Amino acid sequence: HVQLVESGGGSVQAGGSQRLSCTASGFTFGDSDMGWYRQAPGNECELVSTITNGGSTYYHDSVKGRFTISQDIVKNTLSLQMNNLKPEDTAMYYCAAGLPGVDCGLNPRCYNAWGQGTQVTVS
């Protein structure tokens, strides 16, 4: 079965950096668009960044220039490098996998597999 496991969250001071990782199993990693979502208490789930199976990327305006998404298809790993973190980046971050072979774009309904989340706290 499909499994996504995030790691790398924790507490960091504003201006600092963190790297999130997501290890995927149970599907052909290179066939799916992948994404990072986040949800802060009281807020809706927000798309942070996506990367297509072709390597094209998208970033929410609030993280452009600070976050970098990448994937290692050989290791079945998705990463999110977060630099110059701000308190407003505090949230639970989720890794998501899109339907295989489908151009998911920014459609959250297309992402049908989710990890358990990793907490990022910026103070």
Side-chain angles (χ1 to χ4, degrees), residues 1-74:
H1 68 284
V2 174
Q3 189 172 17
L4 301 172
V5 180
E6 301 98 335
S7 61
S11 297
V12 64
Q13 290 189 338
S17 297
Q18 275 192 339
R19 185 177 182 86
L20 304 183
S21 295
C22 171
T23 301
S25 61
F27 66 104
T28 303
F29 189 75
D31 285 350
S32 297
D33 292 353
M34 300 293 296
W36 287 99
Y37 285 77
R38 67 185 179 187
Q39 187 168 24
N43 290 1
E44 292 185 354
C45 194
E46 175 182 70
L47 175 61
V48 177
S49 181
T50 64
I51 185 166
T52 70
N53 53 16
S56 298
T57 58
Y58 160 85
Y59 297 95
H60 190 278
D61 283 346
S62 65
V63 306
K64 281 181 181 177
R66 300 188 298 122
F67 290 12
T68 302
I69 191 170
S70 62
Q71 61 185 355
D72 186 328
I73 293 176
V74 174

Side-chain angles (χ1 to χ4, degrees), residues 20 37-41 45-46 48 89-94 116-120:
L20 304 183
Y37 285 77
R38 67 185 179 187
Q39 187 168 24
C45 194
E46 175 182 70
V48 177
D89 294 319
T90 294
M92 185 73 80
Y93 283 72
Y94 298 91
Q116 83 289 350
T118 185
Q119 177 68 38
V120 173

Side-chain angles (χ1 to χ4, degrees), residues 92-108:
M92 185 73 80
Y93 283 72
Y94 298 91
C95 169
L99 292 166
V102 177
D103 180 5
C104 286
L106 307 183
N107 182 4

